[in-house]
Each structure stands twice: as C-alpha cells, then as structure tokens.
Amino acid sequence: MKLMGECLGPGRGELWQRAGMPGLPERSALLLSPCLLPALQLLLWHSALWTVHEATPLGPARSLPQSFLLKCLEQVRKIQADGAELQERLCATHKLCHPEELVLLGHSLGIPQAPLSSCSSQSLQLTSCLDQLHGGLFLYQGLLQALAGISPELAPTLDTLQLDVTDFATNIWLQMEDLGVAPAVQPTQGTMPTFTSAFQRRAGGVLVASQLQRFLGLAYRGLRYLAEP
C-alpha cells in the first residue's frame, strides 16, 4: 500500500476519483501509469505462481518406500514369466496359441477384466492405483482358482502362478494398511466363470493368462514411474 501511495503522489485522492468516472482517458492514465506497472506485474506473477502451485500434484513416490516399489517390480516380472510359461505350454500341448481367436468364448464364459486406469503416469492417483492394483490381483487370483483341474501337466505351473499373484496382492494390501488407505474389510470374490469342459478350462487359461499379462504390463509402467527418482 505504501508503494501504491508513493506512486500516486499527493493528488492520488483526485486521481482515484477520476478513475471511477466514465471518462476513458482518465482511466487509461491510471492503468497505464509507468509507476503502477511494476506493482501490477508483481501481483500477476504471484497469482500465476500460486495457480501453478495449486495445479501441480504432490509427487506420489514420496508416499511409497523404494524397497516396496522394487519388490513390486520384481513380483510383476516373476508373474509375467509364470503367465508366459502357462501360455506357451497351452500353445505347445493343446494348440491354443491365439487368445484373440478365443475372445468370443471369453465373453460367453463371462471372464471379467480388471481396470487399472488410475495407475497411468498421465493421471496417476496413488490411493486409487493401489486399490485398483489390489482389486485386479484379487480378481485374477479367483480366476486362476476357477481353472483348477486344467490338466495334470499344467497344474504345477498354474499353482505357482496363483501363489505368486496371491503374494503380490498381499504385498499391496499390507502397504495400503501402512498408508492408512486400506478398506476396513478385505474384498470378497465375486461370481467366477464356470468351466464345464476340459476345452473351456484350457481356453479360459489362455484368456486369463493373456488378460493378466496386459494388466501386469500396465502395472509395471505405473510402478516404474513411481520408482523413478
């Protein structure tokens, strides 16, 4: 205020009066005064800085331990390897090599997919990302359980994949508890598809493994983004 008073000088009361009158020249004289421009520029600079500060989200990685993120990335790679092995064996043994050819069967069987939009680096929301990640892993845990009895030769691979998915889901849940964002009650499994034949079970194995790989690919990109310094 002192700066404004010094700029306006002794006749400032008259000038403020004139600025409130309808005459355009008098208003222009006030607005274009060289003495007022620095003050207006400073005000605009502070306003812009505050807007940027408000619009910039807090760095999400600050809330997650690096050890947790590195463990998650390791778990994703392990599950991806397990899923790839299941797909390869289904392809080699049962000639089910093209998941896209089984998409219609997947719809008729009611095989659900898990969203992971909150883990995108463009719109990452930490709490929602962890929640979607845990929910998706919990879903695939149930889908893998529904594939039990797929075939004796594939049972060990399926068991390993299911165990690794369960461990990963548990790791996410424990971190959510540490952050105080875990739901009060753990989710329950919804209705899982029913496979009524050996072919449906094996085709379902191809589809579930393929969907899980896509889900993990999105998860890996989100987790790697969080892990960046």
Side-chain angles (χ1 to χ4, degrees), residues 39-89:
L40 291 172
Q41 288 171 341
L42 184 63
L43 180 62
L44 290 172
W45 181 80
H46 275 292
S47 176
L49 184 63
W50 178 254
T51 301
V52 170
H53 175 74
E54 287 288 298
T56 303
L58 187 65
R62 296 179 187 176
S63 302
L64 294 175
Q66 192 74 5
S67 57
F68 164 75
L69 293 169
L70 294 177
K71 182 178 180 180
C72 286
L73 291 171
E74 181 183 346
Q75 288 179 302
V76 169
R77 289 190 289 266
K78 177 67 168 63
I79 298 171
Q80 285 178 321
D82 295 340
E85 182 181 351
L86 180 62
Q87 288 178 299
E88 288 168 6
R89 297 191 65 178

Side-chain angles (χ1 to χ4, degrees), residues 55-130:
T56 303
L58 187 65
R62 296 179 187 176
S63 302
L64 294 175
Q66 192 74 5
S67 57
F68 164 75
L69 293 169
L70 294 177
K71 182 178 180 180
C72 286
L73 291 171
E74 181 183 346
Q75 288 179 302
V76 169
R77 289 190 289 266
K78 177 67 168 63
I79 298 171
Q80 285 178 321
D82 295 340
E85 182 181 351
L86 180 62
Q87 288 178 299
E88 288 168 6
R89 297 191 65 178
L90 283 165
C91 177
T93 306
H94 303 286
K95 308 304 178 186
L96 296 168
C97 305
H98 304 288
E100 61 274 8
E101 295 178 359
L102 302 172
V103 169
L104 289 178
L105 179 61
H107 287 305
S108 66
L109 290 174
I111 299 178
Q113 299 190 44
L116 202 58
S117 56
S118 294
C119 291
S120 168
S121 59
Q122 285 76 27
S123 57
L124 195 145
Q125 303 169 30
L126 184 56
T127 301
S128 298
C129 175
L130 292 175

